[in-house]
């Protein structure tokens, strides 16, 4: 029985539990490996050690690593890929998607519409930037998820103060035009196919539509989903080299769609609950097919 490594430090999480169940039901043996407990050894090859699976041969790897462990997760994925394991997603794609400004550069370079966004790293440029991109603006950390580190500055004074804090703490800042709508679309893409979509609507107490910030979700029927939105989601995931992605789209004032960001480790709880789509089963089936293909090619 082929073995799949599920990189997750929190076994109690909904996504982890659902994926373990789905992988087992699909006939795959799954072992959950906490990323921080690896030893990666370049001993003339690519060896690894982990207290849960010492030296076990792994056919496929499914990373469920949060933003703080992105670099560690990428190093682990490179190790497994060098051993011939299939990774959903790969190290370079994970790193690219997790860099909020870098990912927008890639998306824009691929011809995709993104919100107007500016990046700078020196306090002397703050006022020049705010002259060109005046408030209200959204100021974001360059990494993060679930809406953490996303702030709305409605005045120049608020924007200046927040940017000063960010530049002091992390020496760089990202400023984005404010899109006034209170909802966005989260679209799940797997292998170039749209699996499910939901609308997330912000609460009256927060401008962020993230479910972890109090947003509400409702299913969006794929048959009713604008083909433009589906095509943007597919192109965005492909541009970043992601086979599995949660693509967030939002409308600008003129009604056209913008790609807000692309999540390489999308949560399953909100969208499975809202839509009833068994995304975990689809991921498990995809992994099994990839493992079988590699087995036949070996």
């Amino acid at each position: 029985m082929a073995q799949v490594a599920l990189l997750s430090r929190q076994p109690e999480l909904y996504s982890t539990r659902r994926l373990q169940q789905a992988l087992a039901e699909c006939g795959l043996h799954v072992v959950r490996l906490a990323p921080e407990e690896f030893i990666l050894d370049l001993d003339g090859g690519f060896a690894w050690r982990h207290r849960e699976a010492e030296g076990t041969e792994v056919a496929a790897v499914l990373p469920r690593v949060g933003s703080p462990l992105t670099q560690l997760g990428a190093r682990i994925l490179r190790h497994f890929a060098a051993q011939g394991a299939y990774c959903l997603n790969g190290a370079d794609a994970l790193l690219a998607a997790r860099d909020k400004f870098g990912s927008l550069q890639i998306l824009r370079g691929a011809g995709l519409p993104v919100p107007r966004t500016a990046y700078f790293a020196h306090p002397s440029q703050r006022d020049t930037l705010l002259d060109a991109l005046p408030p209200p603006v959204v100021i974001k950390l360059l990494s993060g998820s679930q809406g953490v580190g996303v702030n709305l500055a409605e005045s120049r004074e608020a924007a200046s103060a927040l940017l000063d804090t960010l530049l002091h703490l992390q020496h760089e800042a990202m400023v984005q035009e404010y899109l006034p709508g209170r909802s966005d679309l989260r679209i799940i893409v797997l292998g170039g196919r749209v699996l499910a979509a939901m609308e997330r609507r912000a609460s009256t107490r927060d401008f962020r539509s993230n479910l972890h910030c109090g947003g509400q979700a409702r299913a969006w029927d794929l048959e009713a989903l604008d083909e433009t939105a589906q095509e943007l989601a597919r192109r965005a995931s492909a541009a970043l080299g992601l086979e599995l992605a949660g693509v967030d789209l939002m409308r600008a004032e003129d009604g056209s769609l913008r790609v807000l960001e692309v999540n390489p480790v999308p949560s399953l709880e909100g969208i499975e609950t809202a839509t009833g789509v068994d995304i975990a089963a689809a991921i498990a089936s995809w992994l099994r097919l990839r493992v079988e293909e590699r087995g036949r090619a070996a």
Side-chain angles (χ1 to χ4, degrees):
M1 182 183 294
Q3 180 152 274
V4 174
L6 180 61
L7 302 182
S8 173
R9 68 187 303 187
Q10 296 177 290
E12 73 281 1
L13 289 181
Y14 175 94
S15 297
T16 301
R17 291 186 286 105
R18 287 283 295 116
L19 287 166
Q20 285 184 297
Q21 175 188 12
L23 289 164
E25 291 175 352
C26 208
L28 297 167
H29 181 263
V30 57
V31 55
R32 184 191 64 83
L33 303 177
E36 66 271 28
E37 296 178 13
F38 273 87
I39 295 176
L40 303 178
D41 190 356
L42 297 172
D43 63 345
F46 291 83
W48 59 273
R49 298 178 180 84
H50 195 286
R51 64 183 181 84
E52 296 293 336
E54 186 76 27
T56 304
E57 185 174 346
V58 169
V61 185
L62 179 55
R64 298 297 306 179
V65 293
S67 290
L69 297 183
T70 296
Q71 291 289 341
L72 173 58
R75 293 180 184 117
I76 295 169
L77 289 169
R78 285 200 186 96
H79 235 70
F80 277 118
Q83 291 183 328
Y86 167 74
C87 300
L88 179 71
N89 294 298
D92 292 341
L94 177 68
L95 290 171
R98 280 277 169 77
D99 181 335
K100 288 190 181 295
F101 188 76
S103 63
L104 292 177
Q105 288 179 305
I106 293 170
L107 294 172
R108 192 68 195 92
L112 290 158
V114 301
R116 182 181 177 186
T117 308
Y119 164 89
F120 72 114
H122 197 278
S124 66
Q125 298 300 315
R126 184 199 65 192
D127 290 336
T128 301
L129 185 148
L130 291 177
D131 286 340
L133 187 54
V137 291
V138 177
I139 297 173
K140 296 182 177 182
L141 297 175
L142 293 184
S143 63
S145 60
Q146 301 176 349
V148 176
V150 178
N151 302 274
L152 173 62
E154 299 188 76
S155 69
R156 189 179 182 106
E157 292 75 17
S160 296
L162 185 54
L163 288 172
D164 285 345
T165 300
L166 287 186
L167 291 170
H168 176 73
L169 292 175
Q170 66 173 25
H171 311 297
E172 52 189 351
M174 174 173 153
V175 183
Q176 196 168 76
E177 68 172 311
Y178 172 61
L179 301 179
R182 298 193 62 79
S183 66
D184 65 13
L185 278 175
R186 161 61 63 90
I187 299 176
I188 300 296
V189 178
L190 176 63
R193 182 168 69 94
V194 173
L195 293 183
M198 67 177 174
E199 180 188 50
R200 302 183 301 181
R201 183 165 292 277
S203 72
T204 57
R205 301 181 302 276
D206 200 320
F207 80 100
R208 296 169 295 180
S209 59
N210 305 74
L211 302 186
H212 289 85
C213 299
Q216 299 296 313
R218 70 176 181 91
W220 199 285
D221 186 352
L222 292 186
E223 292 186 1
L225 183 62
D226 187 339
E227 178 56 36
T228 299
Q230 296 197 46
E231 181 63 16
L232 284 177
R234 289 190 289 263
R235 289 177 58 199
S237 58
L240 291 166
L242 297 167
E243 290 184 288
L244 172 64
V247 182
D248 296 338
L249 305 177
M250 193 170 180
R251 294 199 181 276
E253 284 193 272
D254 64 2
S256 61
L257 287 166
R258 301 285 188 273
V259 182
L260 286 181
E261 62 180 68
V262 182
N263 191 327
V265 186
S267 172
L268 304 188
E269 183 171 10
I271 197 156
E272 283 196 341
T273 301
T275 66
V277 177
D278 194 340
I279 294 169
I283 293 172
S285 296
W286 176 266
L287 276 170
R288 180 173 178 173
L289 285 173
R290 302 290 81 74
V291 168
E292 290 173 348
E293 286 173 355
R294 291 191 169 211
R296 289 193 295 268

